[in-house]
Amino acid sequence: MASERESFDLSGPLHLTYVLWDNPYHRMSVAACLVQGVYILERDRQEKREGSDALAPPWWTFFHFQLLRPLVDDVDSSIFGAIYEFKPPSSQSNDTLYRSPRYVIAFRGTLTKAHSVSRDVELDIHFIRQGLHKTSRSNIAIQAVRNTVATVGDSNVWLAGHSLGSAMALLTGKTMAKDGNFIESFLFNPPFTSAPLEKIKDERVKHGIRFAGSVITAGLTIAMKAKQAKQQPKDLFIDPFTALSAWVPCLFVNPSDHICSEYIGYFEHRRNMEDMGAGVIERLATQNSLGSLLMGAFGNDSEPSEPLHLIPSASLTINVAPSDFKEAHGIHQWWKPDLRLDQKLYNYK
């Protein structure tokens, strides 16, 4: 049975009758709706809703997109992503289409339904263990983006995702950025694998914990880099974090969502460390997680896995309106008309 939130007519942004593509709120809302379209595509498949009974199409046709093709998981045959093509009306002038995409590739998050939940949870665990890049779903996603970019160029493509799908978009965006393709990306409630220190109310305690963590992480990073330098010629060693710094994905987080809220502290702590003259320490610490370094130091791997959730640069948008966890983690919040947002740009130096 369809829920109210699956219906665009009942819960979609009907107020967005005209999209200004250079307006950040409009761009955010459209990207979020295209992600919601992927969720409903999979729900349509599970509920066998076809033709006029399907609920997914309005989530993209309202904004003049067409579904080019769904992305299907090879393990459980669930739809986890979609490639959309923008088909604006001929009446629209080129001036109104400034900064609009030609294609959007969107990924959904975990669906707690019997037909897909086991595979989604398996991928959630892969993400936590820093192994999402080893899964077949990520290979399908990356290949789809590579093919699209090869056809139309990176400036004509958007990436979008929510929760687990945000992690998938982040992995794909990082992979493309390493090849010099910087894709505009909209990451809603991206998961951050760390203790939710943002829940600590005492700022001094919170800063003390972060500072101690940075010092330990920086020390381990120096040790691991020295180990790597012995294993490969100096002229072949390229810092992957610095190479990614030109890519600035848009992150959308809510402080009440412990899954993504740590991004707030991650970027703010970096700025605080710079202000107090400890930027050198933080530049080392910010690109590694303590957990991955310890696994690399004491595990069987000679080199720790690259932490997917850590990124050098970002445009961070925070929904500051108070809410419970379910609402704070939901995709629906990002197209509400009365949002209270705080936006900050962080560029890695």
Side-chain angles (χ1 to χ4, degrees):
M1 186 175 178
S3 70
E4 179 180 312
R5 289 201 160 185
E6 291 179 347
S7 169
F8 185 86
D9 290 339
L10 295 177
S11 63
L14 298 175
H15 58 282
L16 274 183
T17 56
Y18 189 83
V19 176
L20 300 172
W21 289 103
D22 59 349
N23 181 299
Y25 168 74
H26 288 199
R27 293 155 67 80
M28 173 187 70
S29 299
V30 172
C33 285
L34 295 179
V35 173
Q36 176 70 348
V38 183
Y39 276 107
I40 311 306
L41 265 174
E42 172 57 16
R43 291 292 292 132
D44 281 348
R45 183 190 74 88
Q46 293 179 8
E47 298 295 327
K48 296 181 172 57
R49 298 187 299 234
E50 300 176 348
S52 59
D53 293 329
L55 296 179
W59 289 97
W60 58 82
T61 58
F62 187 81
F63 304 107
H64 306 293
F65 282 88
Q66 292 181 359
L67 176 64
L68 199 61
R69 71 179 178 95
L71 300 177
V72 179
D73 191 287
D74 62 342
V75 174
D76 66 353
S77 299
S78 65
I79 297 171
F80 71 90
I83 304 176
Y84 300 105
E85 184 176 8
F86 184 44
K87 292 286 189 178
S90 56
S91 58
Q92 280 194 260
S93 66
N94 289 333
D95 291 341
T96 63
L97 299 176
Y98 172 65
R99 296 195 70 186
S100 65
R102 284 183 61 187
Y103 295 91
V104 177
I105 302 174
F107 307 101
R108 66 166 175 84
T110 302
L111 264 175
T112 55
K113 302 296 178 182
H115 296 281
S116 55
V117 67
S118 61
R119 175 61 169 162
D120 288 350
V121 170
E122 176 190 343
L123 288 158
D124 289 331
I125 295 170
H126 276 295
F127 170 78
I128 294 170
R129 299 180 63 183
Q130 299 174 21
L132 190 62
H133 61 289
K134 298 177 182 178
T135 64
S136 58
R137 182 181 289 190
S138 70
N139 291 333
I140 294 169
I142 291 170
Q143 195 55 53
V145 175
R146 282 195 195 281
N147 293 342
T148 306
V149 169
T151 303
V152 301
D154 58 357
S155 63
N156 292 302
V157 179
W158 283 7
L159 289 175
H162 173 250
S163 195
L164 172 62
S166 193
M168 191 69 68
L170 180 58
L171 170 62
T172 307
K174 268 189 164 184
T175 302
M176 298 301 293
K178 289 175 183 176
D179 294 331
N181 296 301
F182 304 113
I183 304 175
E184 185 142 13
S185 302
F186 299 80
L187 311 178
F188 300 98
N189 302 84
F192 193 103
T193 54
S194 171
L197 298 181
E198 281 300 297
K199 296 294 182 183
I200 299 174
K201 301 302 181 185
D202 191 313
E203 290 297 324
R204 289 178 300 176
V205 172
K206 186 161 59 176
H207 177 71
I209 294 173
R210 290 194 193 281
F211 182 82
S214 292
V215 172
I216 296 170
T217 303
L220 284 172
T221 300
I222 291 171
M224 293 302 297
K225 284 184 179 292
K227 185 178 180 181
Q228 293 171 28
K230 292 179 180 179
Q231 296 172 349
Q232 57 183 309
K234 215 170 189 181
D235 58 345
L236 292 180
F237 183 78
I238 300 173
D239 181 6
F241 210 70
T242 302
L244 283 173
S245 60
W247 180 53
V248 187
C250 299
L251 274 59
F252 303 91
V253 304
N254 190 310
S256 299
D257 176 12
H258 61 79
I259 291 175
C260 69
S261 62
E262 193 56 25
Y263 270 113
I264 301 171
Y266 171 70
F267 284 110
E268 195 58 33
H269 177 62
R270 183 194 300 175
R271 182 168 287 176
N272 290 339
M273 291 287 277
E274 289 281 353
D275 292 344
M276 64 185 292
V280 174
I281 293 175
E282 188 56 24
R283 278 192 289 277
L284 287 170
T286 194
Q287 55 188 294
N288 290 287
S289 71
L290 189 56
S292 66
L293 287 169
L294 291 173
M295 283 191 292
F298 300 110
N300 296 324
D301 294 335
S302 60
E303 186 177 336
S305 299
E306 178 186 324
L308 173 59
H309 61 287
L310 302 185
I311 49 177
S313 305
S315 172
L316 184 68
T317 298
I318 304 168
N319 182 1
V320 298
S323 58
D324 59 25
F325 169 74
K326 185 176 181 181
E327 186 69 24
H329 189 65
I331 187 71
H332 293 77
Q333 66 185 296
W334 300 111
W335 60 73
K336 287 184 176 180
D338 53 351
L339 285 172
R340 291 168 51 200
L341 303 176
D342 181 20
Q343 193 274 333
K344 294 179 181 179
L345 180 64
Y346 296 93
N347 281 312
Y348 183 74
K349 300 175 183 178

